[in-house]
Structures are given as structure tokens and as C-alpha cells.
Amino acid sequence: MSTRSPFRNRYHRFMTHARAPVVRRPARTGLGVVAMLLVALAGTPGAAGAEDGSTPGLQIEGGTDAQRSNIRNSINLARHPCDLPGFREGRVLRDTEARATDALRAIGFYDPELDLDFERHEACWDIRITLDPGPPTTVEQVDLQITGEGAGDLGFEAVLSQTEIREGGTLRHDRYETLRNRMTRIASDRGYFDADLHTRRLEVDRDTRTATIRLHMDTGDRYRVGRVHIDQDILSEDFVQRMVPFAAGDPYSSAQIIALQRNLNDSGYFGGVRVRPQRDAAEGLQVPILVELEPRKRHSYEAGIGYSTDIGPRIRLRYEHRYANRIGHRYQAEIEASPVRSGIGYNYEIPLRDPLRERLNLFTTYRTEDTDTQQSDRFQVGANRVLQRRSGWQTTEGLRYEYEDYTAGEDDSGRSNLLIPSYRISRMEADEPMTPRRGYRFETTVQGAREEILSSTSFAQVLASGKVVRGLGTGRVLARVDAGFTDVDSVSDLPSSLRFYAGGDASIRGYGYQRVGPRNDSGDVIGGRHKVVGSLEYDYPVVGNWSAAAFVDAGNVVNEWDEFDPVYGVGVGVRWRSPVGPLRVDLAHGPDSDDDFRIHFSMGPDL
């Protein structure tokens, strides 16, 4: 059963005909219109009525999707009961009309015709709006002015040039509000603390259906950053000041203040960082900066366990001294033990000119490795200069001396002494550190030695590796490549740690660890001079943190490029995004493998 409100005809006549003539007057930009627009932009669901009719419903006919949506998102009938008393119908209709009108004005329609019906039915009641929005109000003039020191500021120029407000376009109150707020915000962000937006007017001529927007700002003078006072007692003042990305007297910028906080957080010395511009204490136009720092614990201890089918179970112990002295030196010691590979290492880090991006690492390591194909005991000592470039690339210039006692196969054994200069360049970007949906990693290294310079042999070597992750549908594609080239008279002149092998969890699955490569007369894999290995994988979510994967790996290791004949591995796997990182279990088959199938287990970040 449907009933029509007794207020309907009188109310409709009031809405559509009671208009006072206007020559030019400011548009209604107060709380009503702005609130209607903000509600609409937030996408708050309107009261469209439940399917069972248990709540009041709103039906809108006519207009465009955008107009209907803006009205619907501005009206909430669900706050009214279904048993609404009859004497309140008129009030609800008037409120609904006012909100609908404001919602249309917010998107530039100032002269709508609205016909509202209040209809009761057995379960509840509805309001039906028949809408004729009328012609839009267009922007006739945009008058934007910046005076003062900020008149030529690129920040203001960017804001004004990027606004969506255009002469001849339909008036949108949200765009006016956005531009006004951005002008005020950029003034604060760029140090125009005395800025005055003295003219802010949105004028609408309802007879001509045109609007004029006027925003005039006098920025005043731009403030500068003053002295940076750093409150901490673990490092020297001069050392910490080298992390400040600006100098006293530079133009103030909130981006620089954020950069200072980020630098101190990223340094690794501090557990808490608070940066406070003291505008109330400004002297002249200089704003002092107060930095309050809480040190991290001086000593750090870590223990970890892991497992992979390549090297079996492993345990790792690590100690770090985070600030060994007041000029930021620190050092780390690490022990790793597994049935296949074990070692101990020590690294002493010295920050250089830019302590956040440049450092000198002095290191020494001992590692022993015993696999089915080779055995090696290797000692290293050296230095690396690491530079994190502002372009995002990291470069490492290194020089190391290494001694190795090795055996490859049954017959190939020896001792080597090498002085190896090296240069490495790398870069990694990812939208998530452990299981990215979009990211990449690239690294290439050039290294070598000369027999005439404290070395037992001469060689030159290039290594390159890369991995790319991209989303595809609900899953991800992971592509990987590893390559290496060695210029040496004979592979037997190289220690086993500098030879190339393939096969295993992170190489060609379906084959044992280091079981792919050139063999000697006895059939033992002894490693080779050149390597190319690639992989293509697709994983897709199944349920929760679990996903399934399918992959194909291919590649080989050779001594001569004309001998290159790739071997393949194919398989499927299961992935689990555990709290400690991704865990992978793969079942792989290699047609040229000694095994019909191999199970591979590994863990760690995808990049």
C-alpha cells in the first residue's frame, strides 16, 4: 500500500517557484554545501533502502549518475525510524530537499527542479525524488594572484598550474576548496608563515549561470632555517651535523625537515628521533630547529636458524656494536654453521664524508665448503668503499686478498693466492620487502687478478644477475637470470670458489646443488668458466597466506660458448608467507638429472 504525503503539493510549489531574482551574489559556500560535497567525495553509502524494505529508502529519477550519486551520498534516511510520525514528514522532506539542493550546487547545478514524494508502504517508507538538474553553472573567470616573495616560487606555480579549475568548465566547489587549501598548505610548507589569503571568493551569477573565482594571497617574506640544535650525547656534534641536509640560512622547507628526520632514522644510531621547528623562537626570519634523539642500544645480538636442500640446516649468530666511538664507527661479527658451508666473519665500518651514503668496510672472513662436487677452505681480508648514490644505484669499489685450498672432483686440487680488485654496481626497488608484487633487483660485478701482482694466476671475470617481479592478474610473474664470463687460460687455474656451477634451489631446480657443469674424465662436476641460468615462474594465491607456483628453469655452465647446450627443470611448488618471510617447497623434474624428481626447500625474500 502506498500513501502520498499531504505536504507534497505545497512543498513542491515552495521548492520550484520561490526564487528571488539575483543579479550577482556569492555562492553558498558555507557549511551546508561543503559538508554535502565532503560526504559525497568520501563515498559514504546513502540510504538506498534494504531489499526487505526494513529501512527507509531513497529513489532518485532523472539527472546523471554523478548527480544522483552526489545526492544519495549526501542524504541519510536510515537515521529515521520506519514508524515516523506523520507530523514529521514535512520536516524530513524539507531536510531532504535542502541536502539534495546543496549536493547539486556542489557540482555546479544551481537551478534544479525537484519533485519529492513521501510514500509509505507496509514495511517502512520511501522518499522519491524526480530530478531535473537544469543547466550547469560555468566558470567565467579565474582570478588567482600571488604577491610577496612567493610570487616567483615554483611551489606556488605548480599549484596554480595543476588546478582542475578552468575557465569555461563546470563549477565544482570541491575544486575551489582544494585549490584554496593547497595554496595555504604550500605557504606553510615552504616557510611563508606570514602569508595572508586576503581574498577568497566564489561568486555565482544565477541569472547568467556563471561563476567567478578569486583567490589572492600575499605571501610576505620567506623564512629561513636557523641553527640546528641536536640533543644527544653518544656521537660528536660535528658527526651528527653531517647528516643535516641543509645549512643555516637556507630557505625553509618542510620537505627538508622531513629529510632530516629520515636521515637520522636511517642512520641506525638512534631509536627515537623528534625534529621540531621552533617558529615561536624565530629570530628575524630564521627558525631554529630542535632535534631530540634517543640512542639505540649499543650492543645487538641476533640468532637465527634456517634450512634449505642445498646446504641443509644452518645456524647463524651475529653481534653488532652500533657505535664503537663518537665518530660513528661500528663493527659486526658473524658465525654461520651448516653441514655444507660454515664460516666466520668480521667487518669494521667507517663512515666517510656523507655518513648516510658513503662508508669504508674493513673485513676478514674464513669459510669452508664441502659439497658433492668441490671442497674449499678460503680466507679473505680486504676493504670495500660503498657509495649509495642519489640516483638509487649503489657502487662498491673493493680490494681483497684471498688464500684458498681447494679440490674439485677427485684430481683437481691446489692452493691459490690472489689479490683481487673489484667493482660492483647494484640496485633494488620493491613495493614490499618480503613478497613484492612489483619490484626488481640488479647487480653486476667486474673483478680480476694479475699474476705479476701478488697472485698465483691471472684472470678477469664479469658476473651479472637480475630478478623482476610483476603482478599478473591475481598472481605474480617472477623472472630471474644469472650470468658470468671468465677470461682465464684454463679453468684449472681458478680456485673452486671462482668457478661457476649450476643446479639447486636458487639455480636450476630438478638438479642437485652444483651438479650442473663441465665434468672431468671421471664424470665429476669440476665447474666452468661461463654460466647462463634463467628462470620463469608464476605464483598465484590459493587461500590466506598460501599460494601455488609453476616454473621452468634453464641454463648451463660451459668452458667454451660453442659448447653451450641448456638443460631444463620444470615443476610446481607451494609458497607460505610466514611471519619470518616466504617459505618455498618445490617439486621439480630435470630431464637430464640423475633423479626423477627433486624436492627443493628454501626461504627468504623474493628479491
Side-chain angles (χ1 to χ4, degrees):
M1 177 179 179
S2 173
T3 61
R4 176 162 293 187
S5 167
F7 295 91
R8 184 252 182 189
N9 292 334
R10 176 167 56 87
Y11 184 65
H12 174 61
R13 286 195 300 272
F14 172 80
M15 290 173 50
T16 56
H17 300 295
R19 294 184 191 152
V22 176
V23 176
R24 179 174 292 273
R25 66 179 181 182
R28 178 178 176 180
T29 60
L31 181 61
V33 174
V34 175
M36 295 301 101
L37 187 60
L38 291 178
V39 170
L41 293 176
T44 305
E51 291 185 1
D52 60 1
S54 60
T55 59
L58 178 65
Q59 309 297 329
I60 305 175
E61 298 176 355
T64 65
D65 289 342
Q67 293 162 353
R68 291 191 297 270
S69 177
N70 215 44
I71 293 174
R72 187 171 289 111
N73 290 332
S74 302
I75 297 172
N76 179 18
L77 297 180
R79 60 194 176 94
H80 298 292
C82 281
D83 57 349
L84 183 76
F87 69 86
R88 291 181 56 188
E89 290 181 8
R91 183 188 304 172
V92 172
L93 284 170
R94 286 190 294 272
D95 178 70
T96 301
E97 182 270 342
R99 291 176 178 271
T101 300
D102 282 345
L104 291 171
R105 287 181 176 179
I107 55 176
F109 293 86
Y110 270 71
D111 296 302
E113 293 189 3
L114 303 175
D115 187 356
L116 278 74
D117 286 329
F118 190 102
E119 300 178 348
R120 292 187 181 269
H121 48 76
E122 293 182 0
C124 200
W125 51 268
D126 296 332
I127 290 181
R128 181 181 301 276
I129 300 176
T130 302
L131 164 66
D132 178 3
T137 299
T138 59
V139 179
E140 181 181 50
Q141 182 181 3
V142 181
D143 181 12
L144 308 177
Q145 296 182 24
I146 302 292
T147 57
E149 189 177 344
D153 193 301
L154 294 179
F156 285 110
E157 290 184 6
V159 168
L160 300 185
S161 64
Q162 294 171 9
T163 179
E164 296 181 274
I165 299 174
R166 296 288 184 270
E167 292 183 356
T170 299
L171 173 65
R172 289 283 299 264
H173 285 229
D174 59 325
R175 293 173 181 173
Y176 166 78
E177 298 290 340
T178 297
L179 177 58
R180 188 180 70 180
N181 293 337
R182 288 188 66 191
M183 290 174 65
T184 303
R185 185 170 61 251
I186 202 69
S188 176
D189 288 348
R190 297 184 65 79
Y192 299 96
F193 299 131
D194 299 327
D196 179 19
L197 189 60
H198 54 82
T199 300
R200 42 187 174 181
R201 293 172 62 88
L202 171 55
E203 302 171 344
V204 174
D205 186 330
R206 294 178 61 175
D207 288 341
T208 61
R209 300 188 181 93
T210 58
T212 298
I213 292 175
R214 302 185 192 279
L215 291 170
H216 300 174
M217 174 179 280
D218 181 4
T219 67
D221 295 327
R222 186 176 186 181
Y223 282 66
R224 268 52 180 168
V225 289
R227 186 176 66 91
V228 179
H229 174 71
I230 300 176
D231 184 8
Q232 58 85 38
D233 60 1
I234 63 170
L235 299 169
S236 72
E237 179 76 12
D238 177 68
F239 179 75
V240 181
Q241 286 286 347
R242 283 153 59 188
M243 302 183 201
V244 179
F246 50 80
D250 285 353
Y252 183 95
S253 167
S254 61
Q256 292 284 55
I257 304 300
I258 294 171
L260 171 59
Q261 180 151 353
R262 183 174 59 247
N263 287 354
L264 295 169
N265 276 319
D266 293 346
S267 71
Y269 298 109
F270 309 107
V273 177
R274 187 179 182 187
V275 180
R276 294 192 299 166
Q278 298 181 294
R279 289 173 51 181
D280 294 341
E283 298 178 359
L285 293 175
Q286 292 210 342
V287 179
I289 310 297
L290 174 63
V291 179
E292 298 171 312
L293 302 174
E294 297 178 8
R296 296 180 72 187
K297 291 183 178 180
R298 184 181 294 270
H299 305 284
S300 169
Y301 303 89
E302 294 180 14
I305 59 174
Y307 178 85
S308 73
T309 46
D310 285 350
I311 64 173
R314 68 180 183 270
I315 184 170
R316 183 176 67 92
L317 303 174
R318 185 174 186 270
Y319 165 74
E320 180 181 7
H321 194 301
R322 289 177 170 145
Y323 35 95
N325 54 37
R326 291 184 61 82
I327 54 175
H329 293 197
R330 49 192 164 197
Y331 55 84
Q332 307 90 28
E334 186 171 323
I335 299 175
E336 182 181 34
S338 76
V340 173
R341 187 173 62 215
S342 300
I344 184 170
Y346 175 84
N347 182 76
Y348 191 90
E349 180 179 311
I350 303 173
L352 299 178
R353 291 169 299 181
D354 184 340
L356 295 166
R357 295 181 174 85
E358 188 178 11
R359 64 185 183 272
L360 178 66
N361 291 331
L362 308 176
F363 64 89
T364 181
T365 63
Y366 170 77
R367 173 171 289 186
T368 180
E369 187 168 4
D370 190 355
T371 72
D372 294 337
T373 58
Q374 55 102 7
Q375 190 278 328
S376 168
D377 293 297
R378 181 175 53 160
F379 168 78
Q380 292 182 325
V381 61
N384 289 324
R385 175 181 174 265
V386 182
L387 176 61
Q388 183 67 51
R389 300 182 180 274
R390 297 186 183 277
S391 62
W393 291 94
Q394 179 175 284
T395 59
T396 304
E397 301 162 351
L399 180 66
R400 71 183 187 273
Y401 169 81
E402 63 179 46
Y403 167 82
E404 185 169 347
D405 188 344
Y406 63 92
T407 299
E410 294 183 356
D411 306 322
D412 190 354
S413 63
R415 294 183 176 89
S416 66
N417 297 275
L418 298 170
L419 183 65
I420 303 175
S422 63
Y423 183 82
R424 181 176 65 195
I425 183 170
S426 61
R427 182 168 183 165
M428 186 182 79
E429 291 187 5
D431 56 5
E432 201 275 332
M434 285 294 181
T435 54
R437 186 164 173 82
R438 184 178 183 86
Y440 69 89
R441 169 186 55 79
F442 173 79
E443 178 179 309
T444 186
T445 301
V446 179
Q447 60 183 6
R450 294 293 298 174
E451 191 171 354
E452 298 86 352
I453 308 176
L454 303 177
S455 300
S456 55
T457 191
S458 298
F459 79 98
Q461 195 171 67
V462 179
L463 306 94
S465 65
K467 191 170 185 179
V468 176
V469 180
R470 288 290 185 271
L472 180 62
T474 59
R476 302 180 305 157
V477 174
L478 297 89
R480 164 176 54 87
V481 63
D482 293 284
F485 167 81
T486 309
D487 181 13
V488 67
D489 290 339
S490 172
V491 71
S492 61
D493 295 335
L494 288 174
S496 60
S497 65
L498 292 174
R499 303 181 190 185
F500 295 122
Y501 300 85
D505 304 336
S507 182
I508 306 175
R509 287 162 285 189
Y511 300 81
Y513 180 52
Q514 296 187 350
R515 298 297 298 170
V516 176
R519 299 173 182 265
N520 60 16
D521 294 338
S522 301
D524 301 321
V525 178
I526 60 172
R529 298 196 302 165
H530 315 308
K531 176 181 76 169
V532 176
V533 171
S535 174
L536 188 64
E537 178 176 319
Y538 182 72
D539 77 22
Y540 52 97
V542 177
V543 59
N545 289 329
W546 293 87
S547 60
F551 59 84
V552 56
D553 302 336
N556 211 333
V557 176
V558 296
N559 285 317
E560 303 295 338
W561 285 114
D562 56 10
E563 300 172 354
F564 189 82
D565 184 17
V567 300
Y568 297 89
V570 296
V572 294
V574 176
R575 310 287 182 260
W576 177 44
R577 296 192 300 276
S578 78
V580 296
L583 300 179
R584 308 174 191 85
V585 179
D586 293 318
L587 179 65
H589 169 65
D592 299 313
S593 175
D594 297 333
D595 307 305
D596 289 335
F597 292 93
R598 289 189 67 90
I599 295 177
H600 296 272
F601 179 89
S602 61
M603 62 184 299
D606 289 325
L607 292 177

